[in-house]
Amino acid sequence: MAHKYHIVAFLTVAVWGTTFVWTKLLIINGLSPAQIFTLRFIIAYVLLTGFSMWRGRHKWLSDNWRDELTMVALGLTGGSMYFLTENESLRFTTATNTSLIVCSCPLFAMLIIALFYKSERFSKRQALGSLVALAGMAAVVLNGHFVLHLSPLGDTLAFSACLCWALYTLLMKPVMGRYPAMFITRKVFFYGILTILPYYIFVPDMPSWDVLVKPEVAVNLLFLGSVASMLCYLTWSWCMKGLGAVVCTNWVYVNPITTIIAAWLILGEQITVYFLIGSALIIAGMYLSSKKT
């Protein structure tokens, strides 16, 4: 029965891996990363709210104020702060550094969750699998170029994004057993939008209507909002409930594989032998980490 969760987790991460390509195309058309995040979360929130109201299962608030504050924290860590720190890190450090640090978040999530939950403590085999997958991810991202350029500010921002996702995973665990995935996901979008608004006090800029109605912009935004955000956040919550936080989060290591395949298909970028070796290591590591013993 667990196979269905693994398949959906893989498909979810595969979609997320392609978002770098769609985001790059939107940036080429003049949108900033913050604008893209805000618009895709607004689209996702409107669609999900409309769907839940249509089903007659709409609920505005959590059962108590502590859970509501947890929802705020989920929107902050899995939404606004994650995307802001990840995208801002690219201004101060290389894309390679950012990818290496952010894509190592499963290792940090594994350690943080193990500190708080005995049921999620990992075995030696799972730890080995995570390290093998991490090595494979590094091989894919570095692509044979093993020179890293240290940038304290940029690397710190990338690490902050990594930590945000690890905390998002930790915070998700206590609420996903008490609330439906649709309710949690809608809350993440709402508070993600709400907590990004102060950013626009300092950078008061949104794309013009003429830009938004361009077919290549409108289609990409609709895909990012409806599929990569609304659908994928829903399926991710479902997979975390079925697989456990540690095993599910390890699927993030697959992200660079799908990014490079999408870039090869859409942008014409080349696939190298390092990609093939790294992909094999990631798959082997994922197999190991999916087993408790």
Side-chain angles (χ1 to χ4, degrees):
M1 291 294 291
H3 292 330
K4 64 181 180 181
Y5 294 108
H6 285 292
I7 292 170
V8 174
F10 166 73
L11 293 174
T12 301
V13 173
V15 171
W16 280 341
T18 68
T19 59
F20 292 101
V21 176
W22 311 127
T23 300
K24 184 174 181 179
L25 292 173
L26 288 172
I27 290 173
I28 291 171
N29 279 277
L31 278 73
S32 72
Q35 292 169 353
I36 295 167
F37 161 76
T38 305
L39 290 169
R40 67 185 277 188
F41 263 45
I42 288 174
I43 292 170
Y45 179 73
V46 170
L47 290 175
L48 198 57
T49 300
F51 180 70
S52 62
M53 292 179 72
W54 175 71
R55 293 184 65 190
R57 298 181 181 179
H58 192 72
K59 180 180 179 180
W60 290 107
L61 295 173
S62 306
D63 294 337
N64 56 70
W65 66 269
R66 290 186 182 85
D67 286 351
E68 192 68 19
L69 286 177
T70 301
M71 300 298 175
V72 176
L74 286 170
L76 192 67
T77 56
S80 57
M81 285 304 297
Y82 171 76
F83 282 95
L84 271 182
T85 51
E86 180 186 59
N87 292 327
E88 286 297 314
S89 72
L90 292 169
R91 295 176 55 197
F92 303 100
T93 189
T94 63
T96 298
N97 283 33
T98 299
S99 297
L100 275 174
I101 295 170
V102 172
C103 288
S104 65
C105 74
L107 189 60
F108 290 97
M110 178 186 289
L111 294 172
I112 290 174
I113 292 168
L115 289 174
F116 287 88
Y117 294 99
K118 290 182 179 180
S119 62
E120 291 284 359
R121 288 181 181 171
F122 49 89
S123 64
K124 291 180 180 179
R125 179 170 178 169
Q126 285 181 305
L128 175 61
S130 185
L131 291 174
V132 171
L134 180 64
M137 181 274 299
V140 169
V141 173
L142 290 172
N143 195 28
H145 304 286
F146 300 103
V147 179
L148 294 177
H149 302 279
L150 297 180
S151 170
L153 178 57
D155 294 344
T156 299
L157 286 168
F159 178 76
S160 298
C162 175
L163 187 60
C164 279
W165 192 258
L167 290 173
Y168 173 79
T169 305
L170 177 67
L171 291 166
M172 182 69 79
K173 188 170 175 60
V175 296
M176 64 185 181
R178 300 200 304 273
Y179 296 93
M182 185 177 295
F183 176 80
I184 297 172
T185 305
R186 185 164 48 80
K187 283 293 189 179
V188 170
F189 294 147
F190 176 76
Y191 285 117
I193 296 166
L194 201 65
T195 54
I196 195 67
L197 293 181
Y199 172 86
Y200 291 101
I201 297 174
F202 303 97
V203 188
D205 183 39
M206 284 300 285
S208 67
W209 182 252
D210 290 338
V211 172
L212 293 176
V213 295
K214 288 182 179 179
E216 60 271 28
V217 172
V219 170
N220 280 340
L221 281 175
L222 283 173
F223 173 80
L224 289 174
S226 60
V227 180
S229 294
M230 184 188 74
L231 182 60
C232 286
Y233 270 75
L234 276 173
T235 55
W236 192 251
S237 298
W238 181 73
C239 290
M240 282 187 64
K241 189 173 182 179
L243 293 175
V246 170
V247 174
C248 187
T249 305
N250 270 334
W251 276 103
V252 174
Y253 286 131
V254 178
N255 203 313
I257 297 177
T258 56
T259 300
I260 290 176
I261 291 175
W264 171 61
L265 291 172
I266 299 167
L267 302 177
E269 296 184 7
Q270 296 299 308
I271 288 179
T272 67
V273 67
Y274 298 101
F275 168 79
L276 299 176
I277 294 172
S279 298
L281 287 172
I282 290 172
I283 293 169
M286 287 300 305
Y287 175 78
L288 289 172
S289 62
S290 67
K291 307 291 185 180
K292 269 284 187 183
T293 56

